[in-house]
């Protein structure tokens, strides 16, 4: 179930947002130091190529692609939730095919077993011992299609590998290769034959995105370009696993001032105090929020985080972790609405950015 995607000539087309501007600005004037500029330039160019590659398949959704790249660079996992037919699996497969590394795909079904995900020990009659046969989770990028079609027992097989990047089978622990990312798709829980993801499972996903229906222009372009040809067949890698590892290391070094760090903590802690929320965001959510903000800053051409970076990633990172009260559901309040209310409630630190450069949020 695991395949190796071979490298090919990079695709140079650049996807653009609905505004006509690139989601990865070429201006690097805010980057400090020649070494930092070169490294961030490499990140910028790699992200641009991957985004352009994915947009060949997922037309008109640059913001969704941006969050997918943020999650990749933040060493996280992505949950894509939406109704059938809007391109959830296409997004996951296109991102996986854009990177020259090991990729596997798991189709989650009600009869899928945990050992079908992690692997199993098989008795070898010749050697007289058990041999471990790795499952599809042993890959750099694991695409889990319709993850909430499987039972919670099978879903739990991903808990250890997503958090600790390892798998334990029959008292033996096996380390997963880096980088490691799970891209899972799921249908809304109101759809027939679905199981709601447990809170612990949702909390391990760094971000959740909803693709939504395309606008008329994007759907017309999709019909014209894709009706007679599958763009996935021509998709070739534009980066590789070693490059992604190097860029992840760069993102870890993005500066986070004490003011911005305190702001992130206050946002997450406020979710535990809002009356509409029965279960607030966890400390893991704080770590993922900060990592995602660093990746967002790096994609924006900065080697420091500002509060706007926190704002940009707050809803994708926090909303899916919250459990609302019955009263909030009755009032038709969503977790996204609550996160936006928290963003308005918590004061934004002024002048928070890179210490000593005089640049800040507003």
């Amino acid at each position: 179930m695991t395949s190796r995607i071979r490298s090919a000539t990079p695709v140079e087309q650049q996807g653009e947002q609905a505004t006509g501007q690139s989601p990865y600005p070429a201006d690097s004037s805010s980057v400090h130091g020649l070494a930092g500029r070169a490294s961030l330039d490499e990140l910028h160019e790699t992200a641009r190529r991957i985004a352009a590659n994915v947009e060949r398949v997922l037309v008109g959704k640059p913001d969704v692609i941006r969050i997918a790249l943020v999650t990749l660079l933040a060493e996280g996992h992505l949950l894509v939730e939406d109704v059938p037919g809007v391109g959830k699996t296409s997004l996951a497969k296109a991102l996986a095919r854009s990177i020259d590394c090991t990729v596997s795909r798991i189709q989650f079904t009600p009869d899928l077993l945990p050992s079908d995900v992690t692997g199993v020990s098989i008795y070898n009659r010749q050697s007289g011992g058990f041999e471990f046969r790795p499952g599809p989770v042993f890959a750099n990028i694991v695409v889990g299609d319709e993850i909430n079609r499987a039972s919670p027992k099978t879903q739990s097989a991903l808990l250890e590998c997503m958090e600790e990047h390892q798998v334990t089978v029959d008292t033996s622990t096996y380390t997963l290769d880096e980088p490691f990312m799970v891209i899972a798709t799921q249908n809304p829980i109101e759809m027939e034959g679905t199981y709601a993801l447990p809170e612990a499972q949702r909390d391990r996903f760094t971000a959740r995105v909803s693709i939504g229906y395309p606008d008329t222009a994007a759907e017309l372009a999709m019909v014209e370009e894709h009706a007679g040809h599958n763009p996935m067949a021509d998709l070739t890698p534009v980066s590789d696993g070693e490059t992604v590892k190097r860029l992840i290391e760069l993102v870890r070094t993005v500066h986070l001032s004490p003011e911005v760090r305190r702001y992130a903590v206050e946002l997450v802690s406020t979710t535990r105090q809002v009356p509409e929320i029965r279960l607030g965001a966890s400390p893991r959510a704080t770590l993922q929020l900060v990592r995602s903000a660093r990746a967002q800053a790096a994609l924006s051409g900065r080697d420091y985080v500002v509060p706007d970076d926190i704002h940009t990633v707050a809803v994708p990172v926090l909303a899916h972790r919250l459990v609302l009260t019955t009263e909030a559901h009755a009032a038709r309040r969503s977790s996204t609405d609550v996160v936006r209310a928290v963003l308005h409630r918590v004061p934004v630190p002024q002048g928070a950015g890179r210490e000593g450069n005089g640049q800040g949020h507003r």
Side-chain angles (χ1 to χ4, degrees), residues 225-294:
E225 298 172 12
H226 300 174
H229 176 69
N230 181 11
M232 196 74 70
D234 297 332
L235 218 58
T236 55
V238 295
S239 185
D240 55 52
E242 288 302 318
T243 300
V244 171
K245 285 176 62 177
R246 190 166 62 251
L247 297 183
I248 287 174
E249 291 291 338
L250 172 64
V251 168
R252 291 175 182 172
T253 65
V254 172
H255 179 73
L256 189 71
S257 69
E259 294 83 5
V260 176
R261 188 182 302 119
R262 189 176 302 110
Y263 179 56
V265 172
E266 289 177 358
L267 281 176
V268 175
S269 62
T270 301
T271 66
R272 305 165 193 159
Q273 304 165 8
V274 176
E276 297 171 296
I277 299 177
R278 181 161 55 89
L279 179 64
S282 66
R284 182 190 287 119
T286 309
L287 294 174
Q288 297 292 349
L289 181 63
V290 168
R291 291 173 182 171
S292 300
R294 280 184 163 137

Side-chain angles (χ1 to χ4, degrees), residues 14-26 44 47-48 51 62 66 299:
Q14 180 173 354
E16 295 183 350
Q17 298 190 34
T19 59
Q21 298 178 348
S22 167
Y24 311 102
H44 172 275
R48 185 192 67 78
R66 173 96 174 197
L299 286 173

Side-chain angles (χ1 to χ4, degrees), residues 29 49 57 61 70 73 76 89 134 136 151 158 175 181 198 240 262 265 271 276 296 301-302 308 320 345:
S29 59
R49 293 200 307 264
V57 176
K61 296 295 180 180
V70 165
L73 295 175
T89 306
S151 66
L158 291 172
T175 302
M181 181 183 186
D240 55 52
R262 189 176 302 110
V265 172
T271 66
E276 297 171 296
Q296 169 67 21
R302 282 180 278 102
D308 274 339
H320 66 286
R345 175 176 173 179

Side-chain angles (χ1 to χ4, degrees), residues 147-169:
I147 187 174
N148 60 338
R149 293 286 183 189
S151 66
K153 176 182 179 181
T154 302
Q155 293 173 11
S156 66
L158 291 172
L159 293 178
E160 181 185 13
C161 65
M162 291 176 67
E163 179 65 18
E164 304 172 49
H165 292 195
Q166 66 181 30
V167 172
T168 302
V169 177

